[in-house]
Amino acid sequence: SVSGKTAVVTGSTSGIGLGIATELARAGANVILNSFTDSEEDHALAASLAEEHGVNARYIQADMSKADQCRGLIEKAGACDILVNNAGIQHVAPIPEFPVEKWDAIIAINMSSAFHTTAAALPMMRKAGWGRVINIASAHGLRASPFKSAYVTAKHGVVGMTKVVALETAKEPITCNAICPGYVLTPLVEAQIPDTAKEYGISEDEAIEKVILLKQPSKEFVTVEQLAGIALFLCSDAAAQMTGTTLTADGGWTSQ
Ligand code: NAD
């Protein structure tokens, strides 16, 4: 049970991260919400989770593109039994035009941040004698698409790192796994619909149907609630011997 455990979820003011934090709070975990902003709404979000579920919830500002802030997030949390590396951004462009600063930001936020938070969290998990590292990778951690060089590279990297963390913790009651979602209709995906339409020279409706859900045989978006359920399962005793693996929720995408 996750009751009384502390979960740190990076990039959790929106989308999948917020969904996972909400489900862990519902199951009784204390949660740390995070993003790079520091608004009233960020702190209000934590307060409402605490009130609704009777757990401790805090918002900690930390920019996951910065190594020291990734490590600082875990230190400020004070405890980290469950680490969900979820923060991520996307940029869609052909390689010759791909902005260097976007490449650097995606590699830092989507991949390197998980290394830094894990490095800071493992000693705490070892001290507590239990731990779960859950990396939110992607179907793009297992398959490629054109125009997403940085994202595909970072997500493949996260899948690789997941296996190394699993091996380094194999003899301990700590597991590390990657969830690989197909398309989920969050702000991250909504934002890339216009760019995808532009790259392919088609309308936004066609971009959803012909490009985005083309990869997903179910023709349905994965939901945040489904991913939150998978994350909670990874924290259960049933998943204690599952480590270093990928759990896909992609409507059949990676079966192709
Ligand atoms: P989202 O845009 O809704 O949420 C991303 C979160 O990360 C937000 O809370 C944002 O504030 C935060 N964030 C962005 N930059 C940050 C930074 N520098 N430091 C700290 N926080 C930062 O996106 P989402 O769709 O919920 O994506 C969450 C994760 O799931 C990402 O890693 C994404 O790659 C992955 N994913 C998403 C999909 C999808 O279809 N939406 C599919 C597969 C994987």
Side-chain angles (χ1 to χ4, degrees):
S1 153
V2 301
S3 187
K5 300 260 195 307
T6 298
V8 179
V9 186
T10 71
S12 45
T13 54
S14 140
I16 296 166
L18 181 57
I20 291 174
T22 303
E23 178 65 3
L24 291 173
R26 193 197 56 75
N30 300 316
V31 294
I32 306 292
L33 298 183
N34 154 262
S35 185
F36 59 94
T37 52
D38 197 18
S39 69
E40 256 175 53
E41 295 89 79
D42 295 330
H43 293 276
L45 208 49
S48 76
L49 275 187
E51 196 185 340
E52 192 171 338
H53 302 290
V55 297
N56 295 322
R58 260 195 301 153
Y59 175 83
I60 301 178
Q61 175 195 23
D63 183 345
M64 292 298 104
S65 70
K66 309 272 193 307
D68 56 339
Q69 294 192 34
C70 294
R71 289 165 189 262
L73 168 65
I74 304 302
E75 277 148 30
K76 284 180 193 157
C80 184
D81 305 301
I82 300 161
L83 170 62
V84 183
N85 288 308
N86 169 79
I89 59 168
Q90 175 63 288
H91 188 79
V92 179
I95 289 173
E97 282 109 71
F98 208 94
V100 172
E101 62 278 9
K102 288 283 183 197
W103 169 273
D104 288 343
I106 291 174
I107 296 299
I109 297 168
N110 296 21
M111 186 181 81
S112 301
S113 72
F115 168 74
H116 298 301
T117 55
T118 301
L122 284 181
M124 291 183 186
M125 292 177 179
R126 286 180 167 137
K127 213 164 164 193
W130 189 90
R132 293 286 184 268
V133 181
I134 301 171
N135 294 327
I136 308 306
S138 169
H140 280 124
L142 303 165
R143 297 289 185 277
S145 293
F147 314 127
K148 296 184 177 177
S149 53
Y151 190 89
V152 169
T153 301
K155 294 299 187 181
H156 275 69
V158 166
V159 169
M161 196 192 325
T162 299
K163 298 174 191 175
V164 178
V165 175
L167 291 177
E168 292 192 15
T169 57
K171 290 216 163 80
E172 303 168 83
I174 297 171
T175 69
C176 178
N177 293 287
I179 300 177
C180 295
Y183 282 107
V184 193
L185 200 54
T186 65
L188 179 141
V189 166
E190 281 164 14
Q192 63 185 282
I193 293 170
D195 289 346
T196 304
K198 204 173 117 210
E199 290 305 336
Y200 287 85
I202 54 179
S203 76
E204 294 192 9
D205 280 351
E206 283 176 310
I208 293 177
E209 204 190 302
K210 299 202 170 129
V211 183
I212 296 180
L213 290 182
L214 176 77
K215 305 265 181 182
Q216 209 148 294
S218 67
K219 300 292 170 201
E220 282 181 37
F221 284 105
V222 183
T223 70
V224 162
E225 291 73 20
Q226 289 160 358
L227 298 173
I230 294 169
L232 186 61
F233 163 70
L234 283 172
C235 296
S236 73
D237 291 340
Q241 283 297 318
M242 291 182 75
T243 194
T245 197
T246 51
L247 289 87
T248 57
D250 64 6
W253 179 338
T254 55
S255 298
Q256 297 170 109

